Structures are given as structure tokens and as C-alpha cells.
Amino acid sequence: MEYYGNKLCVSYRELVDGGIVSACNYNNWVNRGKVDVVRKGGGKGSCALIAVDSLPGSYKDDVRRKYPGGGAVLVAGWVNSNYELDQGAVVFFHDRSKTGVDLPEDKAREYIINASVLNTCIKLYDRAKDYRKLMGEKYDWSMMAEAIEALRAELHHTLPKSTLRFRKKVAQYKKEGYGCLISRKFGNQSARKVDFKTERLILAIAVQPNKPYNTSVQEMYNMFVTGELDVYDPDTGEVFNPDEFTDRNGEPKELSEATICNYLNRPKNRALIEHRLMSFTTFMHEQMPHVHRHAPEFSLSKVSFDDRDLPRKLKDTKARPKAYYAYDVASQCVVGMAYNRNKNVDLVVDCFRDMFRLLDRNGWGCPAQVEVENHLMSQWKDSFLKAGVMFPFVRFCAPQNSQEKYAEQMNGAKKRSIEHKNHLGIGRFYAKDRHYRTEARKIFDEKNDTYVDKQYYTWDELIADDRRDVWEFNHSLHPNQKKYPGMTRWDVLVANINPTLEPLEKSVLARYIGEHVETTIRRNSYCRVQYKDWWLSDVKVIEQLEPNNWKVDAYYLPHEDGTISDVYIWQGGRYIDKLQDVGTFNSADCEQTAEDDAVKLAQQKKIAMFSKWVKDNEIGTVRIADKPLRSDGAHNATGNDDAVALPDVHDDSPENGYSLVCDDWGQKALNDY
């Protein structure tokens, strides 16, 4: 008997050969349509199947007596036809956080099938339970267990064969869920030789300051468990007891070299060991996770600063010149550079000056963000490099974290792509690639640590070479040719200037990174800076000065050739004015040019402005009465009828006020004003 088409069927051979019905009688049933032939016979190995329920009553009873396992076949057929793979079990048994262990794929598949079979059995049980309540019969667990066992080869499940154990597993599954299907041998520590405490001891021995080899770790551990070596905790002074590291028989738990290597080379333990043995910077660069970034879309959105030593040495000092670069992150262009024999503040200031000269010359705004190091920049944290003073955003990179600064990567790119191509001796003496490896000649003297390079250079040679390298680097193709096809770094810089940049605040810029001199406002009109007279922009500037104080601080940012175009004066931390270079004119009339005439007119305008300001703010005169007057204008107490008349403060006569006198040039300047 078998289950076919949701029906319990008996084969033609079982009916005829089993002696239940004759072949002639069977053919008569089929011809008259008295039985339901579920599957017609024909072909090799194929036999006709007849539904048991369609047989006449007496024959149906004969079949059930002859083949008593029909109920189990019926159940097995129902389970097989209603079987569905449980997707919830698939997720559960592949999730370590839920199972608690990493299950092998074959075991996970086995548990998924077991859960799916149990789900089908429980579904049948729930349906049969309602039916049996109505019919008054009991659920046959033995038939269910027999049917499930019959499906073992087909579904490849591993559920219990015993009826009682099967019922127990169903009840446990309904109560505990998927977890009850996992064998207890997973995660069982009973057979484990290296427990948690032993593993931690092995790791503690491995992180000795001398960085012992794995064989040395094994030797020290075995000496400890045999009592030949004492191990203690240096923080607490506790001495470890070898008796705590024994097997179940009380014997010392000795470990092989393979076991030691296995535990020391586990990724989890490897990271912990490296953390103890490596320096902070080495561990950070080799083991620590790091952030992943992409470049901004616009130029000058972020500028990164960093210093470096030029790779070749000087003839005079055998030292390397120091360079400081400012890189635009979006275009990778060098937008500022400076050189010095020492890494000092002057080097940084010169780099800022060079960058701002470039920005001012091209009419670009102030960078939105700068990325700087702590070593030389920290002195300006509360002034020039405070966010919002000059730059909207300022980032101070962590010390010794070269991977954080974008300029570090650009220094390497410039060195490998341009400098290595153009010059000799560019590389590292420890480089693995022979094309990038440099060599030096050793001097065998009493120090035994002196090396001489093949060639040395002058200061002017090295600086000129580096400036040419910077120009070539800026005008070479941008690395991202997919995004910027055919464009150089400089093309990307110019074409993608951030439209939201603020204009340069030159007064603030000059105060922090410009040259500084103390000077005095003379004759209410000019200051002397670098042996030149610089005029106030307006006479009203003197109204901002402190009482009895004509001393001011003058700041200016010189050009590459040392000339000055803008001078700003401050007093007591307050910005006062931007001075003007009016110039001087030839005192000999016969030699005066049109330029002299323009300078003379500009100076006369300044004088006329001052004269007008004095006139507009002229102080009126008063006369002092011999005797006090009453406020109501009545006679005083003495009866003197003489009243004191106050002069007209608007009287322009020389006796009562200031008389303005000017020549023809002055009158022309006053009229123009």
C-alpha cells in the first residue's frame, strides 16, 4: 500500500496476487467503473493503483486485514504532501547570536529539516485533535512515529524512532522552540583541554617585553605547570598555583607546541597580543580600524597642511631642508608651500602666507576648513585657528596619526610620481622594491654608524627643484580621470571653486600671520611703516583712538618680492583702519609729471578732508561772566544791569573761530571733496 494523490491506495498486484480478488473480477470492476483507479498501470515497474476507499465493503475489510499498515502509510503520505521547509528555522540555525555556537552547515541543515517535520506533525496533531474530540477516539502516537520513521530516508531527518521519545521531543519543541533541537555536544567544555583560565595564562606569557617565540611560550608554560618556573601577577603580586592547571586525573596539563601556536594565532588573540607588544602608533596604523572617507566635490572646501623633509641632503650641513605644504583635498593641488632649514613657526607662517597670496592673486575666497597638526599649530588654537575667526571649520589631527591627514598621502604621491622620476636618490633605504630603494656608503670609523650619500646639493638647487616638482605635480593629470577626463589637478582646482566661500578677511589675516611693527599716528594723518608714510583712510579714524594714545600696531603681509600693498593698524585688540599709500611728489615744479600731479592732488584732498572735519567739529567760544547770572535772565542780587552776551558760535571771524586758509590746489581738492 502507498499514499498517492492524497488517497490511500493498493496496487493491482497486492489485490490479485494477494488473493483478495481474481483478475477477471478486477477487470469487471474496472469496466463497469465500480472502483477508482488512481493510477493506470503500464510500462516497466509501473503498476495500477486503486483507492482503498472505492473498493466494495467486504473487499475493503480484506485489504485492511491483509495490509494492516495502511494507516501509517496514510499519515506518512499526508506529512510528505504537507511538508514545508521552515524559513524561520533557516534564519535561526544560521545566526550565532541565537544558537550560541557556530553550527556546521550539515548540522544546521539537519536541524532545519527536523524543525520542518515537527511543524508538519504538530499541524496534523492539531487537526486530528479537533476531529477526535468529535468522534470520541484517541490520537494514535505510535502510528505517527511509524509514519515519521518511514519518511527518514526521504526527508533525511534525525528525529527519535521510539514513540515515547518522539512524543517527548514534540512536547519539548512546542515548549522551547528551535533551541531544543541542537545537540548538547556543541559548546560542551567537558572534553576541552585548554579552558579559559589556561588560555589567558598562555596569552599572558606570550606578551613578555622580549616578545618570546611560540616555542619559548610552550617551554615556559610547561615549566610552570611542572613547578620549575614561578609565574606571578606584577600588579597584585599574586603567585599562580600550578595545581590549578591540571587535568581530571590531577596530572599537570602539558600542552604541545601545535596547541600553543593554535591559540596564539587565533585572530582574536592575535589582536590582543599585538596591542600589548606594539607601540601605540604601530598598533593604530596596523591593527586599529580606521574611517573611510571620500574627497569633497568643491575646491577649497578643505585644505590639509603637513610638513616633510626633502629627500636629498645639503652640502653644508648634510641635513635635509624642511618643507611645508598646503594641499587642496578636492583637486590635490599644492596651494601653499614654504621652506626652512628647521621645522619651526616661521616655516608654518610662511606656508600660510604663500597660500593666501595665491588666493588673493586669483580672487578666491577663504578656505572653508583647514586640517592641521598639533605640533606647530596648537599655539593658534585660541586665536587664528579657532573655528570662526579665520576659517569656519578647523580640525586638529591627533599626534602621530599620519593616516588622518590627507596631506600625508599627497606627500607620498608627489614623491613617488614626480620626484622619483626627476631626481636621483629618491626613495627609502629599507624599501622592498629595488626601484625605490636608496643606498649609502658606510664609513668604517670608531662610531661604526656613519653613512655618506652619493651626492649632496646646495640650498638653492634643492628649493628650485622642489618648486619645479610642485608645478609639475599641480599640472599633471588628476588621478580620477573617470570623473575629470583630461583635466589636470590645477584645472580641477580652478573649475570647482566652492561658491559659498567667504571673502578673505585681510585685516585678521595680516594680524596673525603678517609682519608686525609698532608705530605712531603723526600729525593726525599718517603712520610710518617700513620707512614709508602710510595715510589714514579718513580723518575720522582718530575718533577711535584711546585717550592720549597715538600708538598703534601695524600689520602687513608682504608679497614674494618683499613689497607691501596693504597695511592694517590695530590698537588694544581693536581693528582701527586700513592705511593708504598715497605716495610722494617731486618738489621741483619743472620736474613734476602727471603722476606727481595725481599724488599732490590726493594729498591735498586728505588735508582738505581734515580741514573740513575740524570746521564741522569746531568748538565754540564762551566768555566768563564777572558775576553769576540767574537762570531766568533776571538781574543778579547786586542790581547790576550789565548782562553778559554769549558770542555767536557760528561766527567765522578770526576773532571768534578757526580761519580756513588754503591755496589753489587745496581749494580744488576741497571743491572735489
Side-chain angles (χ1 to χ4, degrees):
M1 296 177 65
E2 59 182 287
Y3 193 78
Y4 185 85
N6 292 328
K7 296 180 180 179
L8 182 62
C9 302
V10 62
S11 67
Y12 170 81
R13 293 298 178 188
E14 290 174 324
L15 284 176
V16 176
D17 296 345
I20 297 176
V21 65
S22 64
C24 181
N25 196 14
Y26 170 78
N27 292 330
N28 186 29
W29 285 348
V30 172
N31 293 332
R32 296 172 60 185
K34 284 195 171 186
V35 294
D36 181 12
V37 181
V38 178
R39 185 185 70 187
K40 294 182 179 181
K44 185 177 181 180
S46 178
C47 184
L49 295 178
I50 300 92
V52 174
D53 291 338
S54 67
L55 296 174
S58 59
Y59 295 97
K60 184 189 303 183
D61 295 337
D62 293 340
V63 169
R64 294 187 185 280
R65 285 193 297 269
K66 182 77 174 179
Y67 306 106
V73 172
L74 185 63
V75 173
W78 189 94
V79 171
N80 193 24
S81 62
N82 288 272
Y83 172 82
E84 292 180 356
L85 196 67
D86 188 353
Q87 297 301 319
V90 175
V91 175
F92 179 88
F93 290 110
H94 285 93
D95 189 344
R96 189 182 191 281
S97 64
K98 296 178 180 179
T99 61
V101 293
D102 291 319
L103 292 174
E105 183 59 32
D106 58 338
K107 282 297 179 181
R109 181 70 181 175
E110 173 188 331
Y111 296 149
I112 292 170
I113 294 174
N114 289 350
S116 303
V117 172
L118 289 176
N119 291 339
T120 308
C121 294
I122 292 173
K123 187 193 323 183
L124 177 59
Y125 175 80
D126 291 338
R127 291 184 179 181
K129 185 177 180 181
D130 296 335
Y131 174 77
R132 299 304 175 188
K133 284 182 179 179
L134 296 175
M135 301 302 294
E137 299 180 13
K138 293 184 179 181
Y139 186 82
D140 193 344
W141 278 101
S142 61
M143 184 182 296
M144 174 63 77
E146 182 182 350
I148 297 302
E149 178 62 23
L151 294 173
R152 183 181 299 275
E154 182 176 352
L155 298 179
H156 306 289
H157 67 80
T158 57
L159 294 171
K161 298 180 181 180
S162 168
T163 301
L164 293 179
R165 289 182 60 207
F166 177 76
R167 290 184 63 178
K168 182 179 180 181
K169 180 59 69 175
V170 171
Q172 185 182 10
Y173 177 76
K174 292 174 67 176
K175 183 178 180 181
E176 301 177 10
Y178 299 126
C180 71
L181 300 178
I182 301 176
S183 173
R184 293 184 179 180
K185 68 179 181 180
F186 290 104
N188 193 335
Q189 302 290 324
S190 60
R192 180 172 180 168
K193 192 172 185 180
V194 180
D195 54 18
F196 178 79
K197 190 174 183 179
T198 305
E199 182 179 2
R200 299 303 293 184
L201 177 61
I202 295 172
L203 298 180
I205 295 175
V207 295
Q208 298 302 308
N210 63 334
K211 301 180 181 180
Y213 297 109
N214 292 352
T215 54
S216 300
V217 174
Q218 180 216 8
E219 182 180 354
M220 285 187 286
Y221 171 81
N222 288 335
M223 291 175 64
F224 162 71
V225 296
T226 56
E228 300 175 6
L229 185 70
D230 291 333
V231 178
Y232 67 94
D233 187 337
D235 296 329
T236 63
E238 176 190 1
V239 178
F240 289 91
N241 186 4
D243 295 337
E244 297 179 359
F245 298 87
T246 58
D247 57 20
R248 62 181 61 184
N249 298 322
E251 297 295 328
K253 191 190 299 182
E254 296 190 48
L255 301 178
S256 65
E257 182 179 347
T259 301
I260 295 291
C261 292
N262 179 43
Y263 280 91
L264 294 183
N265 289 322
R266 288 186 173 183
K268 171 181 73 77
N269 293 337
R270 190 78 259 159
L272 298 176
I273 292 173
E274 299 296 355
H275 178 259
R276 288 292 303 272
L277 295 181
M278 288 182 173
S279 65
F280 170 76
T281 55
T282 304
F283 183 78
M284 178 176 59
H285 286 87
E286 295 184 5
Q287 301 291 333
M288 284 285 291
H290 60 88
V291 298
H292 297 257
R293 304 169 291 183
H294 64 269
E297 294 295 324
F298 295 105
S299 306
L300 301 182
S301 292
K302 184 178 182 181
V303 175
S304 182
F305 289 77
D306 193 39
D307 66 285
R308 65 169 295 207
D309 291 355
L310 296 183
R312 296 177 294 168
K313 295 182 180 180
L314 293 165
K315 285 182 179 179
D316 51 1
T317 61
K318 303 298 186 292
R320 293 183 173 89
K322 314 300 179 187
Y324 218 95
Y325 299 123
Y327 291 92
D328 172 61
V329 177
S331 65
Q332 301 185 1
C333 259
V334 178
V335 294
M337 53 187 165
Y339 306 93
N340 202 304
R341 289 181 178 268
N342 300 303
K343 184 179 177 181
N344 50 29
V345 175
D346 293 338
L347 180 64
V348 178
V349 172
D350 289 342
C351 184
F352 272 107
R353 290 174 180 173
D354 188 67
M355 180 186 72
F356 281 111
R357 290 190 195 105
L358 176 68
L359 301 180
D360 186 37
R361 186 165 57 247
N362 290 277
W364 299 332
C366 182
Q369 181 181 4
V370 290
E371 182 181 68
V372 297
E373 61 179 342
N374 267 293
H375 175 53
L376 293 177
M377 303 286 194
S378 58
Q379 59 182 322
W380 293 303
K381 268 189 175 182
D382 297 324
S383 55
F384 173 61
L385 290 179
K386 184 178 181 180
V389 175
M390 191 69 206
F391 307 100
F393 302 94
V394 178
R395 179 174 181 81
F396 283 87
C397 297
Q400 298 183 327
N401 187 14
S402 59
Q403 61 190 0
E404 183 177 3
K405 285 181 292 186
Y406 191 78
E408 289 273 3
Q409 306 172 36
M410 291 298 97
N411 283 340
K414 173 176 171 289
K415 183 177 180 180
R416 292 187 297 270
S417 63
I418 303 299
E419 296 174 6
H420 184 265
K421 179 186 65 174
N422 294 342
H423 311 294
L424 300 176
I426 305 298
R428 301 283 190 182
F429 71 90
Y430 52 80
K432 294 181 179 180
D433 188 349
R434 62 182 179 86
H435 301 94
Y436 201 65
R437 188 185 309 130
T438 59
E439 296 183 2
R441 181 168 56 89
K442 183 176 181 180
I443 302 300
F444 295 94
D445 54 7
E446 66 277 6
K447 295 181 180 179
N448 199 35
D449 191 27
T450 305
Y451 294 85
V452 178
D453 288 352
K454 293 182 179 180
Q455 188 174 355
Y456 294 91
Y457 306 85
T458 65
W459 173 269
D460 293 337
E461 286 177 326
L462 292 181
I463 303 308
D465 286 346
D466 192 69
R467 288 188 180 277
R468 284 191 293 268
D469 292 340
V470 168
W471 188 93
E472 184 178 350
F473 180 77
N474 285 351
H475 291 83
S476 59
L477 291 177
H478 192 281
N480 192 353
Q481 284 296 293
K482 185 176 181 180
K483 185 175 183 180
Y484 306 110
M487 298 179 68
T488 65
R489 292 182 172 91
W490 185 262
D491 294 336
V492 175
L493 172 68
V494 176
N496 294 277
I497 298 295
N498 192 323
T500 64
L501 298 180
E502 296 292 334
L504 292 176
E505 287 289 344
K506 295 184 181 180
S507 60
V508 178
L509 185 65
R511 181 187 181 192
Y512 288 108
I513 65 172
E515 300 289 349
H516 167 243
V517 294
E518 294 182 357
T519 185
T520 304
I521 297 179
R522 306 182 183 188
R523 299 285 295 270
N524 299 309
S525 58
Y526 70 92
C527 298
R528 182 158 293 174
V529 179
Q530 289 296 309
Y531 311 105
K532 181 187 289 189
D533 294 335
W534 296 77
W535 290 70
L536 300 178
S537 63
D538 195 293
V539 66
K540 295 180 181 180
V541 171
I542 64 175
E543 298 176 2
Q544 304 180 43
L545 299 178
E546 298 174 350
N548 197 31
N549 186 5
W550 281 267
K551 293 183 178 181
V552 293
D553 295 302
Y555 299 92
Y556 58 91
L557 193 63
H559 298 292
E560 290 89 339
D561 57 0
T563 59
I564 306 172
S565 59
D566 299 316
V567 178
Y568 304 89
I569 57 173
W570 295 65
Q571 187 182 67
R574 293 184 301 109
Y575 172 64
I576 302 298
D577 190 28
K578 176 184 178 182
L579 302 182
Q580 297 177 347
D581 179 17
V582 177
T584 60
F585 61 90
N586 197 320
S587 61
D589 292 346
C590 64
E591 296 183 10
Q592 289 181 356
T593 63
E595 183 179 351
D596 290 319
D597 291 342
V599 172
K600 185 177 181 180
L601 179 60
Q603 291 186 7
Q604 288 291 350
K605 285 183 178 181
K606 294 288 186 182
I607 297 172
M609 291 170 61
F610 179 79
S611 300
K612 185 177 185 303
W613 178 81
V614 171
K615 180 178 176 61
D616 292 342
N617 294 276
E618 184 178 8
I619 301 175
T621 58
V622 297
R623 293 180 181 178
I624 307 302
D626 294 336
K627 296 179 181 180
L629 296 176
R630 290 171 53 183
S631 60
D632 57 359
H635 296 295
N636 56 11
T638 61
N640 189 353
D641 294 333
D642 295 332
V644 179
L646 295 177
D648 185 0
V649 296
H650 299 290
D651 188 358
D652 292 337
S653 62
E655 294 80 6
N656 294 323
Y658 178 80
S659 178
L660 177 62
V661 180
C662 59
D663 57 11
D664 295 339
W665 278 96
Q667 186 62 44
K668 183 176 184 302
L670 184 59
N671 293 338
D672 292 343
Y673 178 74

